[in-house]
Amino acid sequence: MLLLDEKHRAVNDMLAAELAEVEARFAAELTSDLACVNDLVRHIERYRGKMLRPTLVLLCGTAAAPDQPIGDAHRTLSAVVEMVHMATLVHDDILDDADTRRQGATLNALRGNEAAVMLGDYLVSHAYHLCSALDNQAAARRIAAATNTVCEGELLQLANRYNWSIDEQTYFDIIDRKTGALCGVACRLGALASGAGRDVCDGLDLFGRQLGSAFQIVDDVLDLLGNEQIVGKSLGKDLEKGKLTLPLIRQLETAAPADRQKLLSLLRGEDEDRAERVGRMLINSDAVNEARNRAERFVQQAKGQLAKLPPSPARDVLEAMADAVLTRQA
Amino acid sequence: MLLLDEKHRAVNDMLAAELAEVEARFAAELTSDLACVNDLVRHIERYRGKMLRPTLVLLCGTAAAPDQPIGDAHRTLSAVVEMVHMATLVHDDILDDADTRRQGATLNALRGNEAAVMLGDYLVSHAYHLCSALDNQAAARRIAAATNTVCEGELLQLANRYNWSIDEQTYFDIIDRKTGALCGVACRLGALASGAGRDVCDGLDLFGRQLGSAFQIVDDVLDLLGNEQIVGKSLGKDLEKGKLTLPLIRQLETAAPADRQKLLSLLRGEDEDRAERVGRMLINSDAVNEARNRAERFVQQAKGQLAKLPPSPARDVLEAMADAVLTRQA
């Protein structure tokens, strides 16, 4: 992120320092007296990536009250939302039958689905344990409500496997619950921990949800671009699991009847190169652009929520994050 | 349970009334706006059985303060611990590859492991959501600490699969964490909700843990008794998963070298009737009795904890529950 202004650098410095503290709390919370547990936890440290959700907690906390420093509650909440997120990744990999994550073997590929089920449970349990250390039942209730929603999103997606006539509304509902809800609660609680009022918290929750949805759509679009073999592989896996993303859903909804039929027979059939052919049809249609447009609309809506905050370097960084969702190449 | 005294009948009436209320709260908490979710939840209603843990919350609450009525906190805590327990059953069935529970198909057999993973997650999430409605971070923290421990127990058991030289201490650690911890916290929080002091809460927590461990051992013993075909089937499944229970562990630890070798080659081998032969060896040894004796010792210890409470009908019922662990036939 090219933020050369001194005040923006100060925000980045704050993030770097605070995220390091968040990682420390994360690691401390997960430490067990049992070596076999610590061993498994070490394996998934690799999943921790960019810490998007902790970043949202910290930035929303700062943007809601720019003159107030980040405090203990922000750090704990950051570790909590990241822990929940990682639990969803570990369980998602079971549902997706995934064998790699971050250029390494997934836990389920290495140690079996059982280890992945239990470790995901361990992570969630510790997230709540850490959360209950805050003197704030309201925050705990919000996080639990968000995880309820994430679970519902996963179950809704499961229930719609192989539903080739799934509509856009259901797709948006799925991604709002699966991805949006946790991003939203991260933003809300960051602001709440800074003493923000109801309006600001509600607005930032929406920001997070719209950001999360935009991110998911762009993710799905990127999965269709690039090297045909790679596209074929990931699209192939999705189709095997009966999972449709926005470009495909749009194409099924809007294509001319003959094209729609052709696409449906491909989807229902068992051609070995089904995925490559579906991928090519999508690239050669408007579907990918239309999906990108939808992501852009979400980003505009998200930035609209930010306008309610006082101007500040932290707010600028949030705006830049929203823009970055659309410009990422991978 | 033959409790003909009027005061004991009053306790049973209290339990019947309160457990009905607990069931109602349980159902209300799990109700979603999504039909596909409610559909899955309906499937596992069958798992709800005897409501042992809610019973422990209510009885310990009453025994700790016999003149105080059961209140809202007791009911909510009861629903919470039962929800956690059911989540563990749903996930356990995945780990055990189980196809039946309570004379019906398990969720994973019916709808796949993925549905079972996500529904278990949904149950746990709602347990914490319900728990955060209490104005009591301390209770929430205790429950989360207990679920941390349950997860550790499962992971410790997983790590000891096929470990034919697993020692008794590890077995007791596993069952204490997997089964004891949640029973213990149910007892503790029931008493805490009645305003009991630290000593009483600690004592009842121990009662619950010892009761849970005794229960698990007797469960494991009963799995070896009865019709040889049935024994062969459940023992067979355990051995396939590399899971050893106390009678087998004791036999391996204490048998004469020649018998131990014979048993080990059976366990490591692939004889079709391996389970029936192992089962017969155990019945014909002291191992089953020794396991029962250990269960008896746990029950004695548990009843010892009760002695710290003032005499009351509720305390009598708890004592009867402890005795019933040893006399059950199935």
Side-chain angles (χ1 to χ4, degrees):
Chain A
M1 232 186 306
L2 281 168
L3 295 162
L4 303 168
D5 182 277
E6 213 184 88
K7 291 200 220 132
H8 295 116
R9 257 202 301 273
V11 171
N12 275 359
D13 289 345
M14 176 280 286
L15 284 175
E18 295 296 349
L19 289 175
E21 176 57 30
V22 168
E23 275 200 47
R25 290 188 188 206
F26 189 96
E29 175 64 34
L30 293 179
T31 304
S32 168
D33 62 315
L34 296 172
C36 62
V37 173
N38 295 330
D39 181 48
L40 278 177
V41 171
R42 253 192 303 276
H43 176 86
I44 54 141
E45 268 172 12
R46 219 170 1 93
Y47 291 16
R48 225 169 31 245
K50 300 175 304 283
M51 304 253 272
L52 165 72
R53 288 148 198 81
T55 300
L56 289 173
V57 173
L58 298 166
L59 284 175
C60 289
T62 308
D67 299 323
Q68 214 176 289
I70 288 295
D72 229 52
H74 297 103
R75 296 168 190 124
T76 296
L77 287 163
S78 294
V80 170
V81 296
E82 187 64 10
M83 217 171 273
V84 169
H85 173 59
M86 286 184 58
T88 67
L89 293 184
V90 170
H91 279 183
D92 258 5
D93 283 345
I94 301 171
L95 269 63
D96 294 341
D97 218 8
D99 42 37
T100 56
R101 182 177 283 279
R102 297 199 168 280
Q103 295 87 43
T106 54
L107 191 69
N108 45 304
L110 268 187
R111 308 291 192 96
N113 281 344
E114 297 106 324
V117 173
M118 283 327 308
L119 190 72
D121 290 353
Y122 181 80
L123 285 165
V124 157
S125 179
H126 275 275
Y128 289 118
H129 185 248
L130 188 52
C131 191
S132 63
L134 294 165
D135 209 11
N136 196 333
Q137 284 283 66
R141 195 154 174 80
R142 286 279 186 187
I143 285 172
T147 57
N148 287 347
T149 303
V150 172
C151 292
E152 288 182 326
E154 296 273 5
L155 289 169
L156 185 55
Q157 182 166 70
L158 261 176
N160 278 282
R161 274 187 174 176
Y162 309 107
N163 176 15
W164 311 119
S165 30
I166 187 177
D167 60 24
E168 272 186 35
Q169 218 28 67
T170 305
Y171 169 85
F172 290 130
D173 197 2
I174 289 171
I175 69 174
D176 181 41
R177 294 188 201 230
K178 275 189 60 163
T179 308
L182 194 60
C183 292
V185 86
C187 293
R188 172 187 290 278
L189 295 181
L192 189 65
S194 295
R198 189 57 184 268
D199 275 355
V200 171
C201 290
D202 284 353
L204 284 171
D205 193 325
L206 269 171
F207 167 82
R209 282 170 69 185
Q210 288 153 353
L211 188 80
S213 291
F215 191 92
Q216 187 64 64
I217 295 170
V218 171
D219 227 32
D220 292 339
V221 162
L222 288 173
D223 274 354
L224 292 169
L225 306 177
N227 178 293
E228 201 178 272
Q229 262 194 316
I230 291 172
V231 169
K233 191 175 179 205
S234 65
L235 182 55
K237 258 206 148 154
D238 278 355
L239 296 183
E240 250 170 80
K241 290 258 157 190
K243 178 183 173 188
L244 287 83
T245 60
L246 189 57
L248 184 50
I249 294 169
R250 278 212 60 81
Q251 185 60 6
L252 285 165
E253 272 191 359
T254 61
D259 290 327
R260 188 173 183 276
Q261 270 314 115
K262 206 162 126 196
L263 191 45
L264 273 172
S265 350
L266 260 183
L267 292 171
R268 291 178 176 141
E270 277 165 42
D271 292 32
E272 239 182 58
D273 63 344
R274 164 173 77 160
E276 284 85 350
R277 291 170 67 186
V278 169
R280 265 197 309 267
M281 281 177 88
L282 291 175
I283 302 291
N284 293 334
S285 71
D286 284 328
V288 167
N289 277 339
E290 283 170 1
R292 248 195 216 285
N293 289 345
R294 194 62 186 85
E296 246 180 74
R297 273 212 311 285
F298 272 122
V299 167
Q300 290 318 317
Q301 286 174 292
K303 295 198 320 188
Q305 302 302 335
L306 294 180
K308 300 174 185 171
L309 296 169
S312 73
R315 189 185 88 170
D316 293 345
V317 177
L318 284 169
E319 197 170 323
M321 277 178 81
D323 285 328
V325 168
L326 298 172
T327 56
R328 51 191 273 255
Q329 299 301 318
Chain B
M1 233 186 303
L2 282 168
L3 295 162
L4 304 168
D5 181 277
E6 212 184 88
K7 290 202 221 131
H8 296 116
R9 254 200 304 272
V11 171
N12 275 359
D13 289 345
M14 176 279 286
L15 284 176
E18 294 297 348
L19 289 175
E21 176 56 29
V22 169
E23 276 200 46
R25 288 189 189 206
F26 189 95
E29 176 62 34
L30 294 178
T31 304
S32 167
D33 64 314
L34 296 172
C36 62
V37 173
N38 295 330
D39 182 46
L40 278 176
V41 170
R42 253 192 303 277
H43 176 86
I44 53 140
E45 268 171 12
R46 221 172 358 95
Y47 289 18
R48 226 172 26 246
K50 300 175 303 283
M51 304 252 274
L52 166 73
R53 289 149 195 80
T55 299
L56 289 173
V57 173
L58 299 165
L59 285 176
C60 289
T62 309
D67 300 323
Q68 212 177 290
I70 287 297
D72 231 51
H74 297 103
R75 296 168 190 125
T76 296
L77 287 163
S78 294
V80 170
V81 295
E82 187 65 10
M83 216 170 276
V84 169
H85 172 59
M86 285 184 59
T88 67
L89 293 184
V90 170
H91 278 184
D92 258 5
D93 284 344
I94 301 171
L95 269 62
D96 294 342
D97 219 4
D99 43 37
T100 58
R101 181 177 284 281
R102 298 196 169 280
Q103 296 85 45
T106 53
L107 190 70
N108 43 305
L110 268 188
R111 306 292 191 95
N113 282 345
E114 297 105 327
V117 172
M118 283 327 307
L119 189 73
D121 290 352
Y122 181 79
L123 286 166
V124 158
S125 178
H126 275 275
Y128 290 119
H129 184 248
L130 188 52
C131 192
S132 63
L134 294 166
D135 210 11
N136 197 334
Q137 285 283 67
R141 195 157 173 81
R142 285 280 185 186
I143 285 172
T147 56
N148 287 347
T149 302
V150 171
C151 293
E152 287 182 326
E154 297 272 6
L155 288 168
L156 185 55
Q157 181 166 71
L158 261 176
N160 278 281
R161 274 187 174 175
Y162 309 107
N163 176 15
W164 311 119
S165 28
I166 186 176
D167 60 24
E168 270 187 34
Q169 217 28 64
T170 305
Y171 169 85
F172 290 130
D173 197 1
I174 289 171
I175 69 174
D176 183 40
R177 294 188 201 230
K178 275 189 61 164
T179 308
L182 193 61
C183 292
V185 86
C187 293
R188 172 186 291 278
L189 295 180
L192 190 65
S194 296
R198 188 56 184 267
D199 276 356
V200 171
C201 291
D202 284 355
L204 284 170
D205 194 326
L206 269 171
F207 167 81
R209 283 170 69 184
Q210 288 152 354
L211 187 80
S213 291
F215 191 92
Q216 187 64 64
I217 295 169
V218 172
D219 227 31
D220 292 341
V221 163
L222 289 172
D223 275 353
L224 292 171
L225 307 177
N227 177 291
E228 199 176 275
Q229 262 194 317
I230 292 173
V231 169
K233 191 176 177 203
S234 66
L235 181 56
K237 260 211 144 148
D238 278 355
L239 296 183
E240 249 169 81
K241 290 258 157 189
K243 178 183 173 187
L244 287 81
T245 60
L246 190 58
L248 184 49
I249 293 169
R250 278 213 60 80
Q251 185 61 5
L252 284 165
E253 273 191 356
T254 61
D259 291 326
R260 188 172 183 275
Q261 269 315 114
K262 206 163 129 196
L263 189 47
L264 273 172
S265 349
L266 261 182
L267 292 171
R268 291 179 177 140
E270 276 167 41
D271 292 29
E272 238 181 59
D273 62 344
R274 163 173 77 158
E276 284 87 351
R277 292 170 68 185
V278 169
R280 267 199 305 272
M281 282 177 87
L282 290 176
I283 303 292
N284 294 332
S285 71
D286 284 329
V288 166
N289 278 339
E290 283 168 4
R292 248 197 217 286
N293 289 344
R294 195 61 186 85
E296 245 180 72
R297 272 212 311 284
F298 272 122
V299 166
Q300 290 318 315
Q301 286 174 292
K303 296 198 320 188
Q305 302 303 334
L306 293 179
K308 299 175 186 170
L309 296 168
S312 73
R315 190 185 87 171
D316 294 345
V317 176
L318 285 169
E319 198 168 323
M321 278 178 79
D323 286 328
V325 168
L326 297 173
T327 57
R328 52 190 273 256
Q329 300 300 319

